[in-house]
């Protein structure tokens, strides 16, 4: 009886551990670090921009809008970040694909398919994304990448 109990206990504890995985998360401190670095890059170039950082599920964690940024860029920056998180890829890829395959823009009604949304990975694990809007889409992408670079991820 005791032997059966010990075997059952061992099996249950193994299956419980097998169901859980360790997960990295993007902290508020890291999200702020991204926006500070992105803002510095934008200011260095004289660009007024909206900068959004979302978690892996696309929920807004941190947002900044440089004085003078057009208000339309607020929602666009957030949507770019959400799109990059949802699809686990930079929004630039959708912009490029749409040039030869216009149907790509119909993938999702809420997705923003222009450069400026970049996912944040720790190793192979998505932890969040950055979205930037306010200048050209290429400049938005430069600022998003500069923000992520501040985390010094490998």
């Amino acid at each position: 009886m005791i032997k059966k109990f010990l075997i059952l206990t061992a099996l249950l504890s193994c299956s419980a551990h097998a169901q859980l995985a360790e997960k990295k998360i993007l902290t508020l401190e890291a999200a702020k670090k991204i926006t500070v670095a992105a803002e510095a890059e934008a200011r260095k170039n004289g660009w007024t921009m909206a900068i959004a950082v979302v978690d892996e599920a696309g929920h807004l964690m941190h947002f900044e809008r440089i004085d003078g940024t057009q208000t339309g860029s607020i929602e666009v920056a957030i949507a770019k970040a959400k799109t990059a998180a949802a699809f686990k890829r930079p929004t630039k890829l959708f912009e490029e694909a749409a040039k030869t395959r216009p149907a790509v823009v119909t993938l999702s009604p809420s997705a923003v398919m222009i450069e400026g949304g970049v996912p944040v990975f720790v190793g192979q694990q998505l932890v969040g994304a950055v979205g930037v809007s306010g200048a050209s889409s290429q400049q938005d992408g430069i600022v998003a990448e500069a923000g992520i670079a501040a985390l010094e991820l490998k």
Side-chain angles (χ1 to χ4, degrees), residues 1-3 8 20-21 23 29 31 35 37 44 47 54 75 80 100 102 110-111 113 117 127 134 137 140 147 150 152:
M1 182 71 167
I2 293 175
K3 187 176 180 180
L8 181 60
L20 302 175
K23 179 180 172 181
E29 180 182 347
T35 56
K44 178 180 88 176
W47 301 328
V54 300
E75 293 301 321
K80 285 181 181 183
T100 57
S110 61
M113 306 289 187
V127 295
S137 61
D140 295 346
E152 300 176 353

Side-chain angles (χ1 to χ4, degrees), residues 9 46 48 69 90 93 117 126 135 145:
T9 303
T48 56
T69 302
L93 296 178
L126 177 73
E145 293 285 358

Side-chain angles (χ1 to χ4, degrees), residues 41-107:
E41 180 69 19
R43 288 187 184 281
K44 178 180 88 176
N45 290 289
W47 301 328
T48 56
M49 300 185 142
I51 304 157
V53 179
V54 300
D55 65 13
E56 77 283 359
H59 300 291
L60 187 63
M61 290 187 68
H62 199 256
F63 178 84
E64 287 191 18
R65 180 171 60 102
I66 296 172
D67 295 343
T69 302
Q70 59 198 7
T71 57
S73 289
I74 296 169
E75 293 301 321
V76 174
I78 295 169
K80 285 181 181 183
K82 287 181 174 188
T83 301
F87 290 98
K88 297 184 179 181
R89 57 187 40 91
T91 55
K92 176 181 181 176
L93 296 178
F94 295 111
E95 182 178 21
E96 291 171 352
K99 291 175 185 173
T100 57
R101 296 180 13 232
V104 166
V105 299
T106 64
L107 284 175

